[in-house]
Amino acid sequence: MTTTKPVKTAVDELRYGIKKEVSQYAVLTDPKHFDSWKSSFDVTAENQGIGELLDPNYIIPTTPEGLALFKAKDNFLYGALQMSKNAEFKKFVKKHTSGRAAYLEAVSTWTQGIIADLALERARKHLNQLSL
């Protein structure tokens, strides 16, 4: 009697490969720590096989299996983002039903804000030096 093993799909591999738990992700509590949070979050996502979703140039697959895998990864990413303790960041998560969309909007918005804050700080320092 021959028994055949069920064929594992890419979604099965995702679920049962590396132990994945949203509790392994860094939790954003304070916007001042956004850069370190992002670095830690990105590394964890990469190690858990969902890092490609964080790339703004990633193209969502169109095949049924590819789309099923994308949805499984996106749902997991959404769960990880929901762990945030920062009310402002949670607004991005609640606005979207996609983890990828929430992550990309939050990173884009906050990165622009950080760059603007740094430029403003440099300008203030420069003005202070001129007034001395």
Side-chain angles (χ1 to χ4, degrees):
M1 175 181 237
T2 307
T3 59
T4 58
K5 292 183 180 180
V7 177
K8 284 190 176 181
T9 66
V11 174
D12 293 333
E13 292 293 329
L14 173 72
R15 288 188 181 133
Y16 302 112
I18 298 170
K19 182 178 179 184
K20 295 169 188 62
E21 292 182 16
V22 292
S23 64
Q24 294 176 335
Y25 284 80
V27 175
L28 181 63
T29 55
D30 189 330
K32 291 186 289 188
H33 306 293
F34 176 76
D35 278 345
S36 61
W37 168 84
K38 183 182 177 314
S39 295
S40 177
F41 193 92
D42 290 0
V43 167
T44 303
E46 195 64 42
N47 288 336
Q48 293 196 346
I50 65 168
E52 71 271 13
L53 270 63
L54 309 182
D55 180 356
N57 297 315
Y58 172 75
I59 298 172
I60 297 171
T62 56
T63 65
E65 185 173 312
L67 194 54
L69 180 58
F70 167 77
K71 287 179 180 179
K73 288 179 177 184
D74 191 57
N75 288 339
F76 183 80
L77 175 59
Y78 192 79
L81 293 171
Q82 286 180 314
M83 302 289 290
S84 173
K85 304 285 187 221
N86 180 274
E88 190 177 341
F89 188 84
K90 282 187 170 196
K91 289 177 186 176
F92 292 111
V93 179
K94 289 180 181 179
K95 179 179 175 182
H96 296 280
T97 57
S98 162
R100 181 171 188 267
Y103 175 87
L104 292 176
E105 183 179 354
V107 167
S108 173
T109 301
W110 281 25
T111 300
Q112 290 172 9
I114 290 169
I115 291 169
D117 289 347
L118 290 173
L120 184 59
E121 184 179 324
R122 272 189 239 123
R124 283 183 182 144
K125 283 181 183 179
H126 184 69
L127 285 173
N128 284 339
Q129 290 174 347
L130 291 175
S131 65
L132 295 176

